[in-house]
Amino acid sequence: MIKELDNLVAARQLKHEPASATEVATLLLRAATLLTDAGNAALAPASRFNLAYDSAFALATAALRLRGYRPDEARGHRAIVFQSLPHSVGAPLPLWSALAAAHDRRNALAYHAAMSPSQAEVTDLLAQARALDKLVRKAAGAQS
């Protein structure tokens, strides 16, 4: 799995940086808080979608940090954290591709004034973020 991540370093999409237990713990705490808030049905679907997306992004970043990588700050750094999931935590194709699609949807909402996400999109993203949460926490526990 690391070979593929090293290839992304060579392509300047990731960079090596020693893993930080403190940073990973902070990202996991942030993700948990965001996931809890995203589950609040009293919030608008757009808000819940953004919270679930931000949680998934924090988790995907934590997965990279566990392995000693960080996304480069260049354009596309948010997408690369999701595309790296098979190599950072062994995420299955349906999970990481759904999160990559959510990233595209998030960009459409943020930059192209797309219609608000449906309740079904929110429910799906929440399920994907929760599945990622389990994978990343398992990987973090294995490294402890």
Side-chain angles (χ1 to χ4, degrees), residues 119-132:
Q119 190 58 49
E121 288 175 294
V122 171
T123 300
D124 182 58
L125 180 53
L126 266 170
Q128 302 302 333
R130 288 176 176 141
L132 181 59

Side-chain angles (χ1 to χ4, degrees), residues 13-104:
Q13 293 180 302
L14 295 178
K15 53 187 171 184
H16 286 286
E17 187 173 305
S20 163
T22 301
E23 183 179 6
V24 169
T26 300
L27 288 163
L28 292 177
L29 179 61
R30 175 173 167 70
T33 301
L34 291 166
L35 259 182
T36 297
D37 291 349
N40 181 349
L43 297 176
S47 295
R48 294 179 69 206
F49 185 92
N50 285 332
L51 290 164
Y53 171 85
D54 287 345
S55 176
F57 181 75
L59 290 162
T61 302
L64 279 173
R65 297 299 296 125
L66 281 167
R67 304 291 180 234
Y69 296 87
R70 175 181 296 288
D72 192 285
E73 293 301 318
R75 185 176 178 170
H77 74 278
R78 286 186 163 263
I80 202 66
V81 299
F82 296 118
Q83 294 166 4
S84 299
L85 285 169
H87 314 297
S88 59
V89 290
L93 175 63
L95 176 58
W96 75 263
S97 62
L99 291 169
H103 169 74
D104 293 341

